[in-house]
Amino acid sequence: MSGPDLAPEDLAALPRLPVDAEGPVFAEPWQAQAFAMAVQLHRAGAFTWTEWAAALADELKGANDDGSHYYEHWLKALEGLVTGRGLASHEALHDMKHAWEDAYRRTPHGKSVEL
Amino acid sequence: MAHDHDGHHHHHDGEGQEPPSDMALRVKALETLLVDKGLVDPAALDAIIDTYEHKVGPRNGARVVARAWSDPAYKARLMADATAAIAELDYEGRQGEHMVVVENTPEVHNLVVCTLCSCYPWPVLGLPPVWYKSAPYRSRAVIDPRGVMAEFGTTVPDDIEIRVWDSTAEVRYLVLPERPAGTEGLDEAALAELVTRDGMIGVRRL
């Protein structure tokens, strides 16, 4: 893969990926961010695309829904790989999430939200 | 909040922001930790996300506009409560920012900006284009809207008033363009094809 565009066979390896005729589609911005992060981590060598596809498939296995929660499973699979490989801990993720939540609450509109 | 050139005021001050959804916060936390470790490059992430700027959200803005052109009762609901009227077309019942629709007429042309950051009605329009987030657009849209629009190849006759709407933390604007002449015979689906993102931001006229 080179450039932001993924090869069709890479996308095809991902089970039930929401797509239209041109490629992946996202219901909300965070989903595109989660998508981009998996691509980037793969490019950085954190895991192979096959490993990623397997982790995602595993996470989706228990999912019995219409696809509207697809990227929730995606994120869970990604967090699982990241913590499983010691790239970040559950605790660090949890603490960082709350740090951002607090940062939003104390930052007025128009100011960039910083930790 | 429309800007007059002599009364340029913001409603950006005051309370802190409502944090994004739980999922969005988890993504942000993951990104922060991975960037800190040098595993992920934020610029590369942005490059990927920009590729999909047209692929995020229900992007039902064109359908909203086409429905408003075809159905006067819908248009009345849209002008009275845009958030609810847009939700009518969204099967997932998404809740989002408070939406306000501003209507272009033979006398008035509307243009949307967020001068202080890059607030944007992504549920109806997808992710904001790079130029919308840029400092030149954000600063010049208010001072020189005709000049900004000229760069998009848009000329607004001098006798048409231009109103610039500055997005806030609470309110996102969508422009309802004028229905193009000669489209009387078109159905809603065909009309929706005529509606562009730039037309709904107001930098172009349809």
Side-chain angles (χ1 to χ4, degrees):
Chain A
M1 294 185 289
S2 63
D5 287 322
L6 292 165
E9 59 269 29
D10 292 323
L11 293 176
L14 304 176
R16 290 151 62 182
L17 183 75
V19 295
D20 66 9
E22 293 161 27
V25 294
F26 309 94
E28 299 186 34
W30 68 263
Q31 299 177 357
Q33 286 156 3
F35 176 90
M37 222 162 353
V39 172
Q40 273 295 296
L41 278 174
H42 158 60
R43 287 181 186 163
F47 42 73
T48 68
W49 198 250
T50 310
E51 286 170 326
W52 167 240
L56 182 61
D58 200 43
E59 190 61 47
L60 286 165
K61 208 157 52 189
N64 186 20
D65 63 52
D66 58 0
S68 60
H69 299 286
Y70 184 86
Y71 276 99
E72 293 172 32
H73 299 299
W74 177 290
L75 180 57
K76 202 159 173 229
L78 192 57
E79 288 170 338
L81 263 187
V82 163
T83 53
R85 304 204 167 194
L87 304 175
S89 68
H90 286 292
E91 294 72 24
L93 282 172
H94 179 88
D95 291 350
M96 186 60 81
K97 185 190 137 193
H98 285 291
W100 275 116
E101 196 170 4
D102 293 342
Y104 274 92
R105 291 197 197 284
R106 65 167 185 263
T107 309
H109 178 77
K111 301 277 191 302
S112 70
V113 180
E114 283 165 15
L115 290 174
Chain B
M1 187 59 38
H3 284 299
D4 302 322
H5 284 212
D6 53 349
H8 181 190
H9 47 105
H10 296 290
H11 279 234
H12 283 85
D13 308 327
E15 306 292 301
Q17 302 174 33
E18 184 63 25
S21 71
D22 191 66
M23 301 305 297
L25 284 169
R26 276 167 59 188
V27 168
K28 216 160 165 51
L30 188 58
E31 180 182 340
T32 308
L33 291 172
L34 296 174
V35 168
D36 284 351
K37 287 186 187 269
L39 287 164
V40 159
D41 171 10
L45 277 184
D46 286 346
I48 297 173
I49 293 162
D50 284 345
T51 311
Y52 297 107
E53 89 185 15
H54 299 292
K55 296 295 178 187
V56 174
R59 291 166 290 125
N60 54 5
R63 282 168 55 220
V64 169
V65 169
R67 174 73 53 89
W69 284 345
S70 323
D71 179 348
Y74 181 77
K75 183 181 163 188
R77 294 200 295 283
L78 184 66
M79 300 311 293
D81 182 351
T83 313
I86 291 167
E88 286 179 34
L89 301 188
D90 186 350
Y91 306 114
E92 289 173 31
R94 167 183 318 288
Q95 88 275 343
E97 298 87 356
H98 183 64
M99 292 289 306
V100 169
V101 167
V102 289
E103 183 185 10
N104 287 349
T105 67
E107 292 81 35
V108 174
H109 179 87
N110 295 286
L111 180 67
V112 177
V113 65
C114 179
T115 55
L116 288 188
C117 42
S118 52
C119 292
Y120 189 75
W122 65 261
V124 282
L125 296 185
L127 289 180
V130 172
W131 56 259
Y132 184 89
K133 298 182 278 186
S134 73
Y137 179 76
R138 285 159 41 202
S139 57
R140 288 186 51 227
V142 171
I143 307 164
D144 180 20
R146 285 175 197 275
V148 166
M149 293 175 67
E151 286 166 19
F152 287 85
T154 307
T155 311
V156 182
D158 285 341
D159 58 344
I160 295 183
E161 178 193 349
I162 296 185
R163 290 186 189 154
V164 181
W165 301 83
D166 194 356
S167 308
T168 72
E170 290 80 30
V171 181
R172 307 293 153 89
Y173 297 97
L174 183 74
V175 174
L176 174 59
E178 282 185 273
R179 181 170 176 161
T183 59
E184 292 73 15
L186 299 184
D187 65 12
E188 251 182 71
L191 286 170
E193 296 288 318
L194 303 176
V195 184
T196 62
R197 174 196 71 193
D198 289 357
M200 293 182 281
I201 298 174
V203 291
R204 292 182 205 269
R205 289 160 73 79
L206 301 184

